[in-house]
Amino acid sequence: MNTDVCFLIGGIILFFILINVLLYFYHKNRRALFFRDIKGRNYRSIKNIETNIESYSKIGAKLTYYKAEIVFLDHEIFIIPFNKPILQLIHSPENFPYVSLRFNTSFKEIRNDILEIKGDTGLGNFKITLNFKHKNFDLHSVV
């Protein structure tokens, strides 16, 4: 194999690793700034919640599964996945800095320690399921 081809392949791999490292630190910094911004406010944070996000639009559907930290602040719910943008489920018109995506909620329901939220993204509809089983957390106190 030619050495130029090896250097090209190595450079491409190194480039993708560098992009992932930069994205990791970018999202980690935004997360730290978000928590610094809400520091003086009364919020509840629960880590390692199983999250299922289904979004539907005219173009198609997308399913996403991951574990995330959920923050309840007043009537707002924030989903903070590891190394991904922060999602805000809007109930009031207040904008929070460092939040990348804002979804308008229209329906919330609690069944067997599972919170189901439905709403609109502007491009289509979404359904988010948050599994709070085995977390010893009272969902009725924050929703």
Side-chain angles (χ1 to χ4, degrees), residues 22 29 37 42-43 45 49-51 57-58 69 72 81 107 113 127 133 140:
L22 290 175
N29 183 42
D37 187 56
N42 186 20
Y43 68 90
S45 175
I49 300 297
E50 293 178 17
T51 306
S57 67
K58 294 178 182 178
E69 181 173 357
F72 294 97
F107 173 79
D113 291 329
K127 177 182 164 186
K133 289 183 180 179
H140 298 285

Side-chain angles (χ1 to χ4, degrees), residues 37-38 41 73-76 78 88-97 99 102:
D37 187 56
I38 65 170
R41 299 176 75 170
L73 174 67
D74 298 330
H75 297 290
E76 306 290 332
F78 298 92
Q88 178 185 0
L89 303 177
I90 299 173
H91 186 70
S92 69
E94 183 178 2
N95 286 329
F96 291 87
V99 174
R102 292 172 175 84

Side-chain angles (χ1 to χ4, degrees), residues 18-36:
L18 179 65
I19 294 297
N20 282 325
V21 168
L22 290 175
L23 283 173
Y24 168 78
F25 285 112
Y26 173 74
H27 289 301
K28 184 177 178 181
N29 183 42
R30 287 181 67 91
R31 178 186 181 133
L33 291 172
F34 172 76
F35 279 109
R36 190 182 73 196

Side-chain angles (χ1 to χ4, degrees), residues 38-57:
I38 65 170
K39 185 177 183 180
R41 299 176 75 170
N42 186 20
Y43 68 90
R44 306 264 327 248
S45 175
I46 301 98
K47 295 184 179 186
N48 295 326
I49 300 297
E50 293 178 17
T51 306
N52 175 16
I53 300 176
E54 302 173 28
S55 59
Y56 306 99
S57 67

Side-chain angles (χ1 to χ4, degrees), residues 83-134:
N83 201 21
K84 301 273 188 230
I86 299 172
L87 307 172
Q88 178 185 0
L89 303 177
I90 299 173
H91 186 70
S92 69
E94 183 178 2
N95 286 329
F96 291 87
Y98 314 111
V99 174
S100 299
L101 302 169
R102 292 172 175 84
F103 296 158
N104 294 317
T105 61
S106 61
F107 173 79
K108 293 179 187 173
E109 182 180 32
I110 301 171
R111 278 187 272 147
N112 299 326
D113 291 329
I114 295 176
L115 176 60
E116 184 177 297
I117 304 166
K118 294 180 182 178
D120 182 36
T121 63
L123 297 175
N125 297 323
F126 71 88
K127 177 182 164 186
I128 297 175
T129 307
L130 305 173
N131 187 352
F132 287 90
K133 289 183 180 179
H134 311 294

